[in-house]
């Protein structure tokens, strides 16, 4: 599904060059829920931005299915972002002047692909994520958790190959966080979604199939959940983070 190989990215600040990604390689298989964790400055958000091609990598490859994203022109990339990638952001990025249902339909509206089938899918997503009762309300009238579930539904409207989520629970309380993570689980189970999530939150990451831990721009450790229960997996994540701190 997604294959990242030897990805490198540096930023130039004045006369100084700072290498943020130092040869990152990873894969995400179809139907997986994968998280990336790591301290601030480890390269998590840069990695996500390189995968979406919002910033160019210096070297390495990013393949989505069989497409090498770095080789696509801007028009082809725009098509990939609208049809094959779904995005969920920490700050929701809903349009205040649109209802919940209209926000969910927005990628299809932009892509001029709205049809009865797409509108029915929007209604189905509202049911799946428990927001059918608020679909005619505006963002100012709903809670943070409801806004983020709307954002997850919007990310799924075009049947994307991959959802990229950047700190999706960062602005939420514990109750809303659980509701949003449950929406990702529902997307994975009911809609066969593939999800790649950047997070600082060990609780959110503990629901994932696999967690990639970055440190100083490299993959420091990969933890597989396997048959481990969620609470024990969270303990393993916290142990790994503490071990990383001791190794500094």
């Amino acid at each position: 599904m997604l294959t990242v190989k030897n990805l490198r990215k540096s930023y130039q600040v004045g006369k100084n060059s700072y290498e943020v990604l130092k040869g990152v390689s990873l894969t995400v298989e179809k139907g997986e829920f994968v998280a990336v964790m790591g301290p601030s400055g480890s390269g998590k958000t840069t990695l996500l931005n390189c995968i979406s091609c919002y910033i160019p990598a210096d070297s390495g490859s990013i393949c989505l299915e069989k497409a090498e994203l770095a080789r696509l022109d801007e028009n082809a990339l725009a098509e990939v972002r609208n049809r094959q990638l779904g995005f969920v952001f920490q700050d929701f990025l809903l349009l205040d002047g649109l209802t919940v249902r209209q926000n969910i339909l927005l990628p299809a509206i932009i892509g001029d692909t709205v049809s009865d089938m797409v509108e029915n899918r929007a209604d189905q997503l509202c049911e799946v994520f428990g927001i059918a009762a608020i679909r005619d309300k505006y963002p100012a009238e709903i809670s943070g958790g409801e806004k983020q579930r709307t954002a997850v539904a919007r990310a799924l409207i075009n049947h994307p190959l991959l959802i990229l989520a950047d700190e999706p629970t960062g602005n939420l309380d514990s109750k809303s966080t659980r509701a949003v993570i449950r929406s990702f689980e529902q997307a994975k189970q009911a809609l066969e979604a593939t999800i790649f999530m950047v997070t600082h939150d060990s609780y959110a990451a503990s629901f994932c199939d696999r967690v990639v831990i970055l440190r100083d721009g490299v993959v420091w450790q990969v933890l597989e959940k396997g048959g481990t229960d969620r609470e024990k997996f969270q303990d393993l994540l916290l142990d790994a983070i503490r071990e990383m701190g001791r190794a500094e």
Side-chain angles (χ1 to χ4, degrees), residues 15-37:
K15 296 180 179 180
N16 298 316
S17 180
Y18 298 93
E19 192 174 21
V20 179
L21 299 179
K22 304 172 184 177
V24 172
S25 297
L26 57 85
T27 60
V28 180
E29 302 297 336
K30 182 175 174 59
E32 272 196 310
F33 186 6
V34 176
V36 174
M37 295 187 70

Side-chain angles (χ1 to χ4, degrees), residues 27-205:
T27 60
V28 180
E29 302 297 336
K30 182 175 174 59
E32 272 196 310
F33 186 6
V34 176
V36 174
M37 295 187 70
S40 295
S42 61
K44 301 184 304 297
T45 298
T46 296
L47 174 61
L48 201 70
N49 286 334
C50 285
I51 290 172
S52 62
C53 293
Y54 282 118
I55 61 174
D58 297 334
S59 62
S61 66
I62 305 163
C63 290
L64 183 63
E65 292 278 82
K66 296 180 180 179
E68 171 54 73
L69 298 187
R71 296 179 182 175
L72 301 180
D73 62 27
E74 279 302 318
N75 289 333
L77 274 177
E79 184 79 3
V80 167
R81 291 188 192 113
N82 190 53
R83 294 181 180 273
Q84 296 183 354
L85 296 175
F87 296 92
V88 180
F89 302 97
Q90 180 175 345
D91 296 322
F92 319 128
L93 298 186
L94 302 179
L95 295 186
D96 292 336
L98 301 181
T99 64
V100 163
R101 188 173 186 273
Q102 290 167 338
N103 267 288
I104 292 170
L105 285 166
L106 190 59
I109 293 169
I110 292 171
D112 195 25
T113 58
V114 178
S115 64
D116 289 343
M117 183 182 299
V118 173
E119 295 209 36
N120 288 338
R121 179 168 173 80
D123 292 332
Q124 176 197 13
L125 290 168
C126 286
E127 294 290 343
V128 168
F129 297 135
I131 51 176
I134 61 164
R135 64 185 177 185
D136 293 322
K137 291 188 175 183
Y138 292 88
E141 302 174 303
I142 64 178
S143 70
E146 289 167 336
K147 289 177 184 178
Q148 197 61 296
R149 279 181 278 162
T150 299
V152 175
R154 178 184 60 191
L156 286 160
I157 191 67
N158 281 343
H159 296 276
L161 293 173
L162 178 67
I163 292 177
L164 299 175
D166 187 8
E167 298 283 3
T169 62
N171 285 336
L172 303 178
D173 59 27
S174 58
K175 181 180 178 181
S176 296
T177 291
R178 181 67 187 92
V180 170
I181 293 301
R182 178 58 185 153
S183 73
F184 281 129
E185 291 183 309
Q186 289 172 305
K188 179 177 181 285
Q189 294 163 8
L191 305 170
E192 299 181 341
T194 304
I195 305 157
F196 186 70
M197 175 178 72
V198 164
T199 184
H200 279 96
D201 185 356
S202 63
Y203 174 78

